[in-house]
Amino acid sequence: MKTRFKPKFNIKKGDMVVVIAGDDKDRTKPRKVLEVLIDKARVLVEGVNIVTKHTKPTAQNTKGGIVKQEAPIAISNVMLWDAKAGKPSKVNRQRENGKLVRIAKKSGEVIK
C-alpha cells in the first residue's frame, strides 16, 4: 500500500478473529492473530492459509525438506471475535481516560 499516512486497523497481535472470506472461512471458529503486517494490510492467523515451503538444509535444520506454515491473508477477510456475544463483531473506538479503547459493537464490551 502506497499511502502518505500509516493505516489504522482494529486488529492487533493476540486478538481472536474469525475468517469471513476465503478457503478457510468459518464464522463460528475463533482463531488467534500471530502477526499484523500493517504496510501490506495482511494478518497471519493461526491454522489459516497453510502453505508448504521447501527448505534447504541449514545449521539449525540439518535435514531440510518440506515445512507446512501459515501464510498471511488480507486483513479485510477477518473480523474480530466478540467473546460475550459469541459472534464476530465490528469495532468502535472511543476515548476513555485519555486512552483509545476498542469496543465491540454487538455487545458493547471493551476488547482487551
Side-chain angles (χ1 to χ4, degrees):
M1 284 172 44
K2 298 253 180 184
T3 55
R4 220 170 116 191
F5 304 103
K6 196 162 87 171
K8 290 182 175 71
F9 297 117
N10 293 322
I11 295 167
K12 295 180 180 179
K13 180 181 173 180
D15 283 346
M16 296 304 283
V17 295
V18 175
V19 180
I20 59 170
D23 291 340
D24 297 301
K25 177 169 75 172
D26 188 1
R27 294 181 68 105
T28 59
K29 188 176 180 188
R31 300 165 187 259
K32 190 175 182 182
V33 174
L34 302 174
E35 190 179 349
V36 179
L37 307 169
I38 295 169
D39 53 330
K40 294 182 180 175
R42 296 176 89 72
V43 287
L44 202 64
V45 183
E46 194 174 46
V48 174
N49 198 19
I50 303 291
V51 294
T52 53
K53 187 175 179 185
H54 298 262
T55 57
K56 284 186 172 182
T58 60
Q60 289 89 18
N61 183 12
T62 54
K63 279 198 134 187
I66 300 169
V67 178
K68 289 188 182 282
Q69 66 182 36
E70 292 100 355
I73 60 171
I75 203 162
S76 61
N77 292 346
V78 297
M79 200 170 184
L80 216 55
W81 179 256
D82 188 358
K84 188 177 179 186
K87 296 177 183 177
S89 175
K90 290 184 179 181
V91 179
N92 188 16
R93 290 192 217 176
Q94 289 181 351
R95 282 206 181 276
E96 283 184 13
N97 303 328
K99 283 214 155 202
L100 204 63
V101 293
R102 299 174 300 158
I103 297 171
K105 283 191 175 182
K106 275 226 166 101
S107 66
E109 194 82 1
V110 174
I111 299 163
K112 270 84 181 167

